[in-house]
Amino acid sequence: MGRVHLLRPPLGFKPLFARCLKAWFSMGVGFSLAVLAAVTMILLYEIGQILCLYYSNSQMSYVMSGYLLGFSSMISGLTISLADIGYLCISSIISVSVHELGHALAAASEGIQMEYIAVFLASLFPGALVAFNHELLLALSKVSALRIYCAGVWHNAALCAVCAWALFVEPLILSPFYIHDEGPMVLDVSPTSPLSGYLSPGDVIISLDGIRINNLQEWSQMIAILTEHYENSQNHSLPGNSMKTSVGKGYCVPYSLIEESKHISLKGNETSCPDELSPFITIQCLDQAMPDDDNLEVNHQRDGGELHCLYATDILNLEKCGDGWGRIRNNRSSCLCSKDKACFVPLLSTGVAWVEIAYSNPPLQCSQLGTMRVVDDDNSRENPCVKTFVFVGDVNSMKPSVLLTSYQPRWSAKFGAHLPYVLEKFLMFTFNVSLALALLNSLPVYFLDGEAISEVIIHYLRFLSSRRRRTILQYFLLGGTVASILIIFVQVFLVLL
């Protein structure tokens, strides 16, 4: 070890600033002790579940134990991309640096210089440590030592607070250059995405099934709602057939168009339309009489019979009917069709959804025309800035295959369109990694901050002998280490399963 000097007064710190630092790190002591108690209880809870002592359906333990392992719900699993690895490495460097800086500042405020800084890689991720003279640390009071040991966890928590604050004020800071919460904008579409033939970078999502989408969160929530909606609609399948209706999502089709349509018949479990046509079937309305026309074969087929093949593009701009849409008009029939029209709903395979997606391109010109937001009015059909297409398939496949952001640049150039997304992604990764690092170092595990903090805490058990305190500390650390390793294996197994 190198020669270390005890500085009096603290080098580089004025007395007032030194007192402020001590007050700051004293707050960190209380926070770190609370976190240590919390993670210890979580370890006991997880071990109890693993040993089948009791059972719980709560997902909180899974999330918290994931953080204890250095994971988070955002970066765990096998779907992490190459860009996410870059975000993860950069956020790890920042989080580790802030952690070690906290230890160094706390030690300097107590008059102790660091001996050296070590940088290393742990599972391909960067790590660091700051070494101090152990004898000088032992010479300090227990409260002073706690301030140094708890400073890393405390600074990681402060970094989390800074990231959360930055995410909160980001829309305000970027408001002179970007529009926020006026529709998610497409940044990239995967070539294998089912939306690649319709959406392109720069397009702005306006609505799903007529429901306005303002930001990325609403996009995710709407996809989850539609997924649950279609999963619950499996009982709408036609008897003896694998096809099902689109759960009340109908269109008022004129009888003149139906007369020109092609006719098909249900044969066994197969229903198909030629070319790009889609099968449709009528909804039977109790409060709407069907016209008496012997030449028009349109009826609700419950036992398998004649259907109609229509072009989806021909009916998208027609008036909607049925109770499956987000826009429900009061004091109207459930069919919402006039007497010269019939309410037709698509016939889909099981597990397939029918979703109308409205989007605008280019968003800047549409916003200047003042017509970008016109999606709920009948005039939206004639709006050149609003385009609509139907997605037929698995709703969940839309979310991971398209990259969206809640920000739209106020200029037409594509330069800088990714900046809010990159900044938001970086802040989210830094928040999660810093939180994981704080919780990880709070664990009562060998070679982590939790070991030194636990040693100081057990020292205050003055009613026990020194030997008993050392024994309790060893059992406490050994149990925490074994429990953490066991939970790691269980979590990795669940991720890989």
Side-chain angles (χ1 to χ4, degrees), residues 422-476:
V422 172
L423 181 59
E424 190 173 33
K425 196 83 170 180
F426 166 74
L427 291 173
M428 291 176 62
F429 266 87
T430 303
F431 176 90
N432 282 274
V433 172
S434 186
L435 177 59
L437 190 60
L439 293 175
L440 187 65
N441 277 276
S442 298
L443 288 171
V445 174
Y446 288 110
F447 308 114
L448 295 179
D449 294 342
E451 177 185 6
I453 297 173
S454 302
E455 183 178 358
V456 175
I457 294 174
I458 292 179
H459 176 79
Y460 282 99
L461 301 178
R462 300 298 179 88
F463 57 90
L464 297 175
S465 64
S466 177
R467 182 179 178 180
R468 286 185 177 273
R469 289 198 296 267
R470 288 195 300 269
T471 302
I472 292 175
L473 176 63
Q474 294 302 318
Y475 278 116
F476 184 61

Side-chain angles (χ1 to χ4, degrees), residues 162-325:
V162 171
C163 291
W165 175 82
L167 286 170
F168 180 76
V169 300
E170 183 184 6
L172 180 62
I173 296 175
L174 298 180
S175 59
F177 311 102
Y178 296 90
I179 302 172
H180 185 251
D181 279 359
E182 292 192 10
M185 187 180 70
V186 178
L187 293 177
D188 189 27
V189 182
S190 172
T192 59
S193 171
L195 304 179
S196 60
Y198 304 97
L199 297 177
S200 59
D203 292 344
V204 175
I205 304 295
I206 297 178
S207 66
L208 291 180
D209 279 350
I211 298 179
R212 184 77 167 100
I213 304 297
N214 295 302
N215 49 49
L216 188 57
Q217 182 179 4
E218 292 182 1
W219 164 267
S220 300
Q221 291 175 349
M222 189 60 188
I223 289 179
I225 292 174
L226 290 174
T227 301
E228 182 180 2
H229 187 61
Y230 278 94
E231 286 178 353
N232 295 335
S233 67
Q234 299 302 321
N235 55 356
H236 288 79
S237 299
L238 294 178
N241 196 278
S242 61
M243 308 297 287
K244 65 182 181 64
T245 65
S246 61
V247 201
K249 293 182 180 179
Y251 300 85
C252 295
V253 181
Y255 293 121
S256 57
L257 181 61
I258 299 174
E259 289 177 342
E260 300 173 357
S261 67
K262 297 183 178 180
H263 297 258
I264 62 173
S265 298
L266 287 173
K267 296 180 180 179
N269 292 329
E270 296 182 357
T271 300
S272 60
C273 283
D275 301 328
E276 297 180 354
L277 298 176
S278 301
F280 286 81
I281 192 170
T282 56
I283 293 180
Q284 190 175 31
C285 302
L286 298 178
D287 51 356
Q288 182 177 13
M290 300 295 292
D292 296 330
D293 192 341
D294 296 335
N295 296 326
L296 187 63
E297 298 179 356
V298 180
N299 48 56
H300 191 84
Q301 306 295 334
R302 293 182 178 272
D303 54 354
E306 188 172 331
L307 304 174
H308 289 270
C309 288
L310 303 172
Y311 285 101
T313 54
D314 291 341
I315 68 169
L316 286 183
N317 292 330
L318 298 177
E319 185 179 4
K320 293 178 174 57
C321 57
D323 56 1
W325 301 101

Side-chain angles (χ1 to χ4, degrees), residues 28-50:
V29 170
F31 175 83
S32 299
L33 294 181
V35 175
L36 175 62
V39 297
T40 302
M41 296 302 297
I42 293 174
L43 284 179
L44 294 175
Y45 180 82
E46 289 294 324
I47 291 299
Q49 283 193 322
I50 292 174

